[in-house]
Amino acid sequence: IPLELKVGEAEAAQFPSRVVSQLVRVIQEALTNVRKHAGATWAEVCLERQGQEALITIADNGVGFDPSRFSHKDRTHFGLQTMRERVESVGGQLTIDSYPGKGTRVMVKIPLSQEGER
């Protein structure tokens, strides 16, 4: 499927290497989910600055799903939990916005200041 990459300000994409490695894996997992499950005809990855945070959004126009149906203990959806753990391990927050028939939007907020690391 076509993939569009949008980067707002360069600062929104500058992180310490430990953060970058976690973000790459989260984006990779989200895009793998799009390919395997979404039935999407497009996807995008957007990096932008919102105040003192970077917002990374992975969105698609696929079939969507009901995130409330999957508990943190549901091992069949281990990838969603792993993405959340990766984001939280670097001080961020992961939100999944999806509805059946309406696509999926995975949003990651990461503080731009990472305590002296760059």
Side-chain angles (χ1 to χ4, degrees):
I1 66 171
L3 173 66
E4 186 173 348
L5 174 63
K6 298 179 181 178
V7 179
E9 296 178 41
E11 185 178 23
Q14 295 176 353
F15 298 99
S17 60
R18 70 181 181 83
V19 175
V20 169
S21 66
Q22 296 299 343
L23 288 177
V24 166
R25 288 183 175 95
V26 168
I27 293 167
Q28 191 174 37
E29 178 68 22
L31 292 174
T32 296
N33 287 343
V34 170
R35 182 179 52 81
K36 286 183 173 180
H37 307 295
T41 59
W42 68 264
E44 73 177 11
V45 177
C46 181
L47 290 90
E48 59 187 314
R49 181 181 179 155
Q50 288 189 339
Q52 294 304 308
E53 295 179 314
L55 175 64
I56 299 96
T57 306
I58 305 96
D60 69 67
N61 69 340
V63 297
F65 67 101
D66 179 358
S68 68
R69 291 187 51 223
F70 305 107
S71 75
H72 295 295
K73 295 180 174 91
D74 186 353
R75 293 294 177 200
T76 62
H77 299 281
F78 187 68
L80 298 176
Q81 180 61 24
T82 300
M83 289 184 348
R84 184 174 311 284
E85 290 170 1
R86 286 184 185 282
V87 170
E88 290 174 355
S89 78
V90 294
Q93 178 183 25
L94 181 130
T95 305
I96 298 172
D97 182 20
S98 185
Y99 301 95
K102 301 288 185 182
T104 300
R105 183 174 305 271
V106 175
M107 295 162 288
V108 177
K109 285 188 179 181
I110 300 283
L112 286 171
S113 62
Q114 292 285 326
E115 300 178 16
E117 288 189 49
R118 275 275 176 236

